[in-house]
Amino acid sequence: MTKVLNSLLAASAALSAVLVAGVAQAAEPVTSMDQLSQYSQEGQTANAGQVTSVSQLSDVRPTDWAFQALQSLVERYGCIAGYPDRTYRGNRAMTRYEFAAGLNACMDRVNELIAAATADMASKEDLATLQKLQEEFAAELATLRGRVDAVEAKVATLEKQQFSTTTKLKGEAIFNVSDEFGTGNDNTTVLQNRVRLALNTSFTGKDLLVTRLAAGNYNAFKTNDTTPATLQGGEGSQAANFGGGGNNAVSLDWLAYYGNLNEKLAFYIPAVNGLHYDYAPTASGFDTGDDGNGTLSVFGQRNPIYGLGGGAGVGATYNIGGGLKVSAGYLAGKAAIPTSGNGLFDGDNSVLGQIAYAPTGAPFQLAATYVRAYSKSGALFGGGAGAGSGIMGTSNANDIDQTLLGIGNATKLDAYGLSGTLKLGSNIVVNAFGMYGYANEVAPGADSQIWSYGASLGLMDFGKKGNLLGIVAGAQPYAPGAPGAGSVVPLHLEGFYKYQLNDKISITPGVIWVKDPGQSKSDDIFIGTVRTTFSF
């Protein structure tokens, strides 16, 4: 009798973590809310419901001798754990391991009774049954011991090396080989890069603080167009260069906080380089947030109206229901500068109001947008830069009077935009947008209309899952009636093919052609590029 008890006690001590390991295998992944990472739910597992009869474990055959033996023990001691759906997963390869976990639970219960020396101490027959079950599942118990030891070692290592329990690191590195082949332009092939490291932190599981660092070495190609009204943003406004200029000097590229006031109202508070498309739905199937996995150009990703202004401020989106969402926001380009003519309300700023319609399960999305923008820096489409140059569009469209009076005259713009995307079948996406604006210089009273429009076609999973073949055509923002400016449309044509090597690396060759970028018969910009993106 003593020998049997000692054997059982030793086996129970070695298997104390088996039941926990068996339950953990039933864990289900936690689904993230839209745009918010649910970090506080990481590692949670489905709770195993306690059952009081083996007959509730429907996948274990009642004819098995082990079933009969364990049934007797469970009904007398109430000592086995199962799953909430009352199945023992008997049709899976792990059935014997899970059964061994249940056996361990009964052994623990019997040990408790023996240690307490109560009147309900296990009988000699029950101890013999446990001994026989232990011998029957000896191989499974030994394997589980090794697996538990390995898991415990890995957990200990992770606990020592983890960066934070509330913060995740997300990164992207882009290598961009480009050349400009315009007539007479003195350019050569370059290899440029941009690196972004984002620290995504959640404090409640329903919020998100984004702290993103960036570095790059972007330098724009030269063109022969000597008129001031040339295309801003450089290189056809390549997305791989957006936010990455400056000899690879590291800077705080984006600092913003997302949260929810309730289930319908989400808010957004950027402190550095916020943009309206960070919170407002853009109704564009190509919008990837200026990362290295979408179109080559910033222009091709979404309606340029979302690039009006930028900086610090606040935005919010209210879900009315039925696919309708209303968004509003205010961003200030020089919110941190306390001098007159700057600050949160006295400097460059933009106000957005929008209604978007995207019914659940429907193949289309629509958005109608209004933006009121004010700029002193000559960068209406500044993307939060606030430094005298835009991220797209001609110089006249960013500062309508700069030809005659020089950059620096404050400009007001009322802009109206329509955007839509349509999914044809499972792999074809069509996007279209248009923007009209009326701008005027505050000081001299000059005014002009600003136009932009475009369409794109995307073939998803073209040749391989994850690939994307895309074509973009349209006109970057231009001001045909601006003082001293030409009225020729700066036509933008773009084609690219993103080839997904694996889930972390993609290669995207493509071309960008901008015809008459200076709103006049000027030298075209023709760029060939191969972009390699590493995501981690």
Side-chain angles (χ1 to χ4, degrees):
M1 178 72 172
T2 303
K3 182 178 180 181
V4 172
L5 289 176
N6 290 338
S7 176
L8 290 173
L9 288 170
S12 179
L15 295 172
S16 60
V18 169
L19 182 58
V20 175
V23 172
Q25 292 173 358
E28 298 293 339
V30 178
T31 302
S32 298
M33 295 177 58
D34 291 344
Q35 297 181 323
L36 297 179
S37 298
Q38 304 296 318
Y39 300 115
S40 67
Q41 298 184 22
E42 287 184 351
Q44 290 185 358
T45 61
N47 293 324
Q50 192 76 18
V51 298
T52 58
S53 174
V54 178
S55 62
Q56 291 178 297
L57 303 178
S58 59
D59 288 340
V60 178
R61 293 180 299 175
T63 56
D64 294 342
W65 80 267
F67 178 94
Q68 301 290 343
L70 199 55
Q71 181 180 44
S72 176
L73 295 172
V74 167
E75 291 175 351
R76 288 157 63 180
Y77 300 107
C79 58
I80 189 171
Y83 293 89
D85 60 0
R86 296 184 177 180
T87 65
Y88 200 53
R89 313 296 166 91
N91 58 348
R92 294 194 297 112
M94 293 297 292
T95 297
R96 289 181 62 84
Y97 294 106
E98 293 170 347
F99 196 84
L103 171 61
N104 182 69
C106 277
M107 293 169 63
D108 286 342
R109 176 60 178 159
V110 170
N111 286 333
E112 290 176 1
L113 294 175
I114 294 174
T118 64
D120 296 327
M121 187 173 63
S123 67
K124 185 176 182 180
E125 290 76 11
D126 290 341
L127 293 175
T129 299
L130 284 172
Q131 178 71 20
K132 186 176 180 181
L133 288 170
Q134 179 187 358
E135 293 172 355
E136 174 70 18
F137 290 89
E140 288 76 17
L141 295 176
T143 302
L144 284 172
R145 281 198 296 270
R147 290 184 177 183
V148 170
D149 291 342
V151 170
E152 289 179 344
K154 290 181 179 179
V155 170
T157 301
L158 288 173
E159 288 178 346
K160 292 178 181 179
Q161 297 179 352
Q162 68 178 345
F163 169 71
S164 171
T165 58
T166 60
T167 301
K168 280 189 174 181
L169 174 65
K170 182 178 181 181
E172 179 187 75
I174 297 176
F175 295 175
N176 207 40
V177 178
S178 300
D179 203 344
E180 201 281 322
F181 302 98
T183 304
N185 296 330
D186 184 19
N187 293 304
T188 187
T189 304
V190 293
L191 171 59
Q192 298 172 333
N193 70 81
R194 187 190 71 188
V195 179
R196 285 175 169 177
L197 296 176
L199 300 174
N200 297 329
T201 304
S202 180
F203 303 98
T204 67
K206 296 182 179 181
D207 62 348
L208 180 64
L209 174 67
V210 182
T211 306
R212 189 173 72 191
L213 305 177
N217 60 359
Y218 158 66
N219 287 278
F221 288 122
K222 296 180 180 179
T223 69
N224 278 345
D225 179 23
T226 57
T227 64
T230 191
L231 192 73
Q232 293 213 4
E235 299 192 20
S237 303
Q238 287 200 67
N241 299 323
F242 178 44
N247 297 320
N248 284 318
V250 179
S251 64
L252 181 60
D253 178 57
W254 185 26
L255 178 62
Y257 181 71
Y258 289 91
N260 290 281
L261 294 180
N262 51 51
E263 292 182 355
K264 290 184 174 293
L265 183 59
F267 65 86
Y268 168 68
I269 303 176
V272 177
N273 289 348
L275 294 160
H276 289 298
Y277 58 80
D278 292 332
Y279 65 92
T282 61
S284 171
F286 275 170
D287 194 344
T288 60
D290 301 320
D291 68 7
N293 290 295
T295 62
L296 294 178
S297 68
V298 176
F299 171 74
Q301 292 199 337
R302 68 192 72 83
N303 194 325
I305 195 170
Y306 297 102
L308 284 168
V314 63
T317 295
Y318 183 79
N319 187 355
I320 297 175
L324 284 175
K325 291 184 178 181
V326 176
S327 301
Y330 173 85
L331 299 176
K334 298 182 178 180
I337 302 176
T339 57
S340 177
N342 295 295
L344 192 58
F345 301 107
D346 200 26
D348 294 2
N349 64 79
S350 59
V351 179
L352 176 142
Q354 174 179 282
I355 183 166
Y357 183 52
T360 303
F364 67 89
Q365 300 176 31
L366 298 171
T369 312
Y370 167 76
V371 174
R372 170 79 167 184
Y374 173 78
S375 174
K376 293 183 177 181
S377 62
L380 283 171
F381 299 90
S389 66
I391 58 174
M392 73 183 86
T394 67
S395 293
N396 281 123
N398 281 273
D399 187 345
I400 63 171
D401 205 18
Q402 57 86 37
T403 303
L404 298 180
L405 302 174
I407 293 177
N409 300 296
T411 303
K412 293 188 297 183
L413 170 67
D414 290 284
Y416 308 86
L418 288 175
S419 307
T421 184
L422 176 64
K423 191 171 184 179
L424 303 174
S426 59
N427 297 322
I428 302 176
V429 178
V430 178
N431 303 299
F433 63 82
M435 187 202 76
Y436 167 79
Y438 179 78
N440 69 285
E441 292 280 4
V442 176
D447 58 12
S448 177
Q449 299 179 22
I450 296 179
W451 295 88
S452 183
Y453 41 84
S456 60
L457 172 67
L459 302 180
M460 318 295 290
D461 299 330
F462 188 81
K464 178 185 176 183
K465 186 176 181 179
N467 292 359
L468 173 61
L469 176 64
I471 300 173
V472 179
Q476 291 207 29
Y478 70 105
S487 58
V488 178
V489 177
L491 181 64
H492 177 111
L493 296 174
E494 173 182 343
F496 65 93
Y497 180 59
K498 185 191 77 166
Y499 183 79
Q500 199 72 38
L501 289 177
N502 53 47
D503 60 346
K504 301 297 182 182
I505 305 175
S506 67
I507 298 178
T508 307
V511 294
I512 298 175
W513 175 33
V514 183
K515 182 174 174 57
D516 302 320
Q519 294 188 201
S520 61
K521 292 296 181 180
S522 51
D523 290 335
D524 296 350
I525 297 175
F526 188 87
I527 296 171
T529 187
V530 177
R531 179 186 67 198
T532 302
T533 304
F534 304 87
S535 303
F536 53 93

